[in-house]
Amino acid sequence: MTWLITGGAGYIGAHVVRSMTEAGEQAVVYDDLSTGIAARVPEGVPLVEGSTLDRAALDRAIAEHGVTGVVHLAAKKQVGESVEQPLRYYHENMEGLRTLLEAVVEGGVGSFVFSSSAAVYGMPDVDLVTEDTPCAPMNPYGETKLAGEWLVRAVGHTHGLATASLRYFNVAGAAAPELADTGVFNIVPMVFERLTAGEPPRIFGDDYATPDGTCVRDYIHVSDLADAHVVAARKLAQSPGKDLTLNIGRGEGVSVREMIDLINEITGYGIAPQVDPRRPGDPARVVAAADRISAELGWKARHDVRDMVTSAWAGWVRLHPEAARS
């Protein structure tokens, strides 16, 4: 198998490429480098610079590299930005996916792994979110992921393509400092940024119906997430016509306050958080049921939250040396 990894120079994509190559799979990175970093691509792995909106470039990449499977991670992914720019998100995420799937079908590619998100669920009022929990996304980003799943499944059924939609929960950590997330959009780097500036981390609401009053989320180490892509890809390669929809999480909840306390401990800062009003649309608890992926693929997360924070902090300090405590 030769796997085309779209968005393979991004934070998650680079980890998927690393896991693929370490597992002995052939990988080709396809990335427009709008947010990806070419230096993340391992030596010996081809990098094709191109957009998923460019059908001719996709056709060339698939033909020239003998692509037999695709892992599609390239997408716009900021929730707030999607609310401000819904046309852009639908164009890049949906039209990009449609164009890629056309190239996949015409190129005779047999397997397709789609990067989805727990954002498809919206605000589920359940203790554990299963893959059968009703989907009600609350923003254009989540809508494009759910509609993307529908399109992937429909194309798979019509053209005999084996497909998997992987619904990520909250991704954190790094396999190596140089692969760390450079964006500041998720809780871990957001807290790092506040601490580095000498400012208190922010908690948005402490009056939720949770043990400590703050929101509870399921966090997954990016290395575990990447390994899940490898086992999913291999399952599809062995199972023509397979159709999977799977959560990728640990099945364990961590509150915002617990996460901030752990970050303060690991970084050595110890700055107490400030409590601000709730943000609209934040559900009290979103934790994955992770038994289906274990049953289907034999996969289980190996890293805990401490691993996530410690590895993410090493990456942050590499980019922000002034953050290190003496």
Side-chain angles (χ1 to χ4, degrees), residues 4-7 28-32 48-67 69-72 74 92 94-109 112:
L4 187 74
I5 317 293
T6 71
V28 177
V29 171
Y30 187 91
D31 200 300
D32 67 4
V48 179
E49 187 173 349
S51 167
T52 53
L53 294 163
D54 187 339
R55 174 64 191 279
L58 289 166
D59 287 342
R60 284 194 302 272
I62 290 170
E64 291 176 5
H65 294 279
V67 171
V70 170
V71 179
H72 179 45
E92 296 208 20
M94 291 304 302
E95 180 62 13
L97 174 60
R98 189 197 64 79
T99 304
L100 174 60
L101 285 168
E102 278 190 343
V104 161
V105 170
E106 289 297 318
V109 175
F112 195 92

Side-chain angles (χ1 to χ4, degrees), residues 223-247:
S223 293
D224 286 330
L225 175 66
D227 290 343
H229 284 75
V230 175
V231 294
R234 286 180 162 172
K235 181 72 170 182
L236 297 187
Q238 299 162 1
S239 311
K242 189 76 172 177
D243 173 24
L244 296 171
T245 301
L246 301 169
N247 288 338

Side-chain angles (χ1 to χ4, degrees), residues 4 38 102-103 166 170 219 231 294 297:
L4 187 74
E102 278 190 343
L166 305 183
N170 298 270
Y219 296 91
V231 294
S294 176
L297 304 180

Side-chain angles (χ1 to χ4, degrees), residues 55-271:
R55 174 64 191 279
L58 289 166
D59 287 342
R60 284 194 302 272
I62 290 170
E64 291 176 5
H65 294 279
V67 171
T68 51
V70 170
V71 179
H72 179 45
L73 298 109
K76 305 300 294 181
K77 63 175 185 176
Q78 302 308 325
V79 168
E81 186 180 64
S82 79
V83 174
E84 297 166 359
Q85 303 177 43
L87 289 170
R88 181 186 181 196
Y89 267 65
Y90 269 85
H91 180 64
E92 296 208 20
N93 290 4
M94 291 304 302
E95 180 62 13
L97 174 60
R98 189 197 64 79
T99 304
L100 174 60
L101 285 168
E102 278 190 343
V104 161
V105 170
E106 289 297 318
V109 175
S111 302
F112 195 92
V113 179
F114 177 59
S115 164
S116 189
S117 168
V120 301
Y121 295 115
M123 292 182 67
D125 185 20
V126 293
D127 187 52
L128 289 176
V129 180
T130 75
E131 291 84 351
D132 298 322
T133 297
C135 292
M138 299 179 61
N139 50 69
Y141 166 70
E143 291 166 3
T144 65
K145 287 300 182 181
L146 183 57
E149 290 186 11
W150 295 340
L151 179 57
V152 167
R153 185 174 302 113
V155 172
H157 287 167
T158 299
H159 297 281
L161 188 66
T163 64
S165 292
L166 305 183
R167 294 174 173 171
Y168 310 170
F169 280 65
N170 298 270
V171 185
E178 63 273 16
L179 295 181
D181 193 357
T182 56
V184 185
F185 304 108
N186 302 312
I187 184 172
V188 174
M190 289 172 71
V191 174
F192 289 167
E193 184 177 60
R194 298 279 293 186
L195 294 177
T196 301
E199 299 173 349
R202 302 172 73 187
I203 291 175
F204 295 97
D206 65 351
D207 58 348
Y208 287 91
T210 61
D212 66 13
T214 68
C215 292
V216 173
R217 298 290 182 266
D218 191 335
Y219 296 91
I220 181 74
H221 196 293
V222 67
S223 293
D224 286 330
L225 175 66
D227 290 343
H229 284 75
V230 175
V231 294
R234 286 180 162 172
K235 181 72 170 182
L236 297 187
Q238 299 162 1
S239 311
K242 189 76 172 177
D243 173 24
L244 296 171
T245 301
L246 301 169
N247 288 338
I248 305 186
R250 293 185 309 123
E252 298 176 18
V254 178
S255 76
V256 171
R257 189 176 292 278
E258 288 172 332
M259 179 63 87
I260 291 175
D261 288 348
L262 180 60
I263 292 172
N264 263 318
E265 175 199 333
I266 288 170
T267 63
Y269 273 82
I271 301 177

